[in-house]
Amino acid sequence: MKCRKCGGKAAINMRQHKLSLCREHYLEWLPEQTQRFIEKYRMFSPQARLLVAVSGGKDSLGLWDVLSRLGYQADGLYIGLGIDGGLAYSSESQRLAERFAAGRGLRLTVVDVAALEGATIPEAAARTQRGKDKPCSVCGLTKRHVMNRAALDGGYDVLVTGHNLDDEAAVLLGNTLTWATGYRARQGPVLEATHPGLVRKAKPFCRFYERETAAYALLRGIEYIYDECPHAVGAKSIYYKEVLNQMEAERPGLKLSFYLSFLEAKERGLIAAQSDPAAAGLHPCTTCGQPTSAPGQCAYCRTWERVRSQAVRTLEGGQPV
Ligand code: Q46
Ligand code: ZN
Ligand code: ZN
């Protein structure tokens, strides 16, 4: 297989684009495409101050690398979840994110959930979910809150995440199977800020296959964490990804056309962007001030208050309930 641009040895063959490229030309192609998507979906201007949510994985570190190469002012945010156990997932991913930033002179803010709220994500889940469930609901809630707050407090224009096409297609498939029309209408490369207390969000990698972002990180020599969070095992999104991969193997390009046809239908008004229920009737949380549709406190403050009250009960000798 030869590079289409120079005839040299190809490092990657993208069947869906009928395109093979060598290392050098692939490392040019991916940032060029990213810039094209940023412009096409009007994600942000060259002057925008960006905050990149970095997990230590290939997508977020690759994205941060690309945005810096393209000349954007992009700082990073790492959230320490305290998910360790045997794999040392959090400490290892933090180490890699810090190393990446230090090696390139980039600014990384680290928010440690245990330092902020007094418990790690698994501890919080064990106290509020009786330890039965995965910690994903408290984790997702916390990450969204911390990212929004860090972006607003830091005066950033856009919060940027490394979601790739596999992630987006899996979410779309899930929302389609459950006919979650509200969520589906909000899905896309950009999530507008529907309230002054919410930051605008963008996903510049949303049209790249996971193998493309992985190839970029590898060919660029970026050291990233290979393991997924241990709690991701068995998640529905992983099942949807596997199903989509099976279809993709038979029909190259299917995943991309599924996502692009959705975006096109949305643009043509075929997927009604109903008034966003989450944006309707938002008011500031009585504790933290972030917008919420819940009366009084937001879900984040309510959850973490419960976590703290369970810790007090345990200290007093009671069993967590
Ligand atoms: S939500 Fe769940 Fe993820 Fe949090 S606990 Fe791990 S798998 S990191 S995207
Ligand atoms: Zn080449
Ligand atoms: Zn709150």
Side-chain angles (χ1 to χ4, degrees), residues 81 113 117-131 134-135 138-139 142 303-304 306-308 310:
L81 305 169
V113 172
E117 298 293 353
T120 64
I121 291 293
E123 285 166 355
R127 286 179 205 163
T128 52
Q129 300 173 179
R130 302 183 189 196
K134 285 172 177 289
V138 62
C139 182
T142 302
T303 303
W304 282 97
R306 256 172 58 221
V307 171
R308 281 186 289 272
Q310 292 297 352

Side-chain angles (χ1 to χ4, degrees), residues 18-29:
K18 298 189 176 62
L19 178 66
S20 302
L21 292 171
C22 68
R23 176 182 176 277
E24 185 198 335
H25 286 119
Y26 185 67
L27 291 179
E28 274 176 13
W29 178 83

Side-chain angles (χ1 to χ4, degrees), residues 18-284:
K18 298 189 176 62
L19 178 66
S20 302
L21 292 171
C22 68
R23 176 182 176 277
E24 185 198 335
H25 286 119
Y26 185 67
L27 291 179
E28 274 176 13
W29 178 83
L30 190 131
E32 281 166 11
Q33 293 297 308
T34 309
Q35 180 59 33
R36 194 166 77 81
F37 303 152
I38 291 170
E39 289 169 15
K40 180 174 172 53
Y41 300 111
R42 295 184 200 92
M43 292 188 185
F44 38 78
S45 71
Q47 293 74 34
R49 284 194 65 223
L50 310 177
L51 183 63
V52 187
V54 292
S55 65
K58 62 183 185 321
D59 300 304
S60 56
L61 291 182
L63 175 60
W64 200 8
D65 178 80
V66 167
L67 292 173
S68 310
R69 283 180 68 196
L70 289 171
Y72 287 99
Q73 309 171 55
D75 295 340
L77 169 69
Y78 177 86
I79 305 176
L81 305 169
I83 298 173
D84 273 324
L87 279 178
Y89 171 75
S90 284
S91 26
E92 183 59 6
S93 55
Q94 181 170 344
R95 184 185 72 79
L96 292 170
E98 286 174 338
R99 195 184 156 125
F100 177 93
R104 288 162 171 79
L106 295 171
R107 191 190 325 172
L108 176 71
T109 300
V110 175
V111 176
D112 186 75
V113 172
L116 185 71
E117 298 293 353
T120 64
I121 291 293
E123 285 166 355
R127 286 179 205 163
T128 52
Q129 300 173 179
R130 302 183 189 196
K132 278 181 198 153
D133 273 325
K134 285 172 177 289
C136 295
S137 59
V138 62
C139 182
L141 181 78
T142 302
K143 285 195 288 191
R144 281 193 298 277
H145 178 97
V146 170
M147 286 192 285
N148 193 60
R149 185 193 279 178
L152 290 180
D153 290 355
Y156 292 95
D157 299 304
V158 186
L159 175 75
V160 192
T161 57
H163 293 94
N164 60 39
L165 177 68
D166 293 47
D167 299 322
E168 293 301 294
V171 169
L172 180 59
L173 180 58
N175 287 341
T176 303
L177 290 174
T178 56
W179 221 243
T181 46
Y183 284 121
R184 223 170 41 153
R186 294 180 67 209
Q187 194 184 346
V190 173
L191 187 58
E192 297 293 348
T194 48
H195 184 278
L198 294 173
V199 71
R200 181 183 162 88
K201 294 179 186 148
K203 303 169 187 171
F205 272 7
C206 65
R207 284 179 55 164
F208 292 124
Y209 281 69
E210 188 172 330
R211 69 183 284 269
E212 294 168 357
T213 60
Y216 180 83
L218 281 171
L219 296 172
R220 268 292 276 175
I222 296 172
E223 216 192 326
Y224 63 87
I225 186 154
Y226 290 90
D227 297 310
E228 294 241 28
C229 168
H231 301 292
V233 177
K236 250 193 239 159
S237 57
I238 294 194
Y239 170 69
Y240 294 146
K241 281 184 186 179
E242 285 167 4
V243 170
L244 286 164
N245 282 341
Q246 282 171 23
M247 296 200 277
E248 178 80 23
E250 299 269 328
R251 301 197 172 259
L254 179 140
K255 229 185 290 189
L256 186 60
S257 76
F258 176 48
Y259 184 60
L260 292 185
S261 327
F262 159 70
L263 293 184
E264 208 184 292
K266 212 175 142 181
E267 205 157 284
R268 287 167 55 208
L270 299 177
I271 295 172
Q274 309 132 321
S275 71
D276 179 356
L282 288 182
H283 57 264

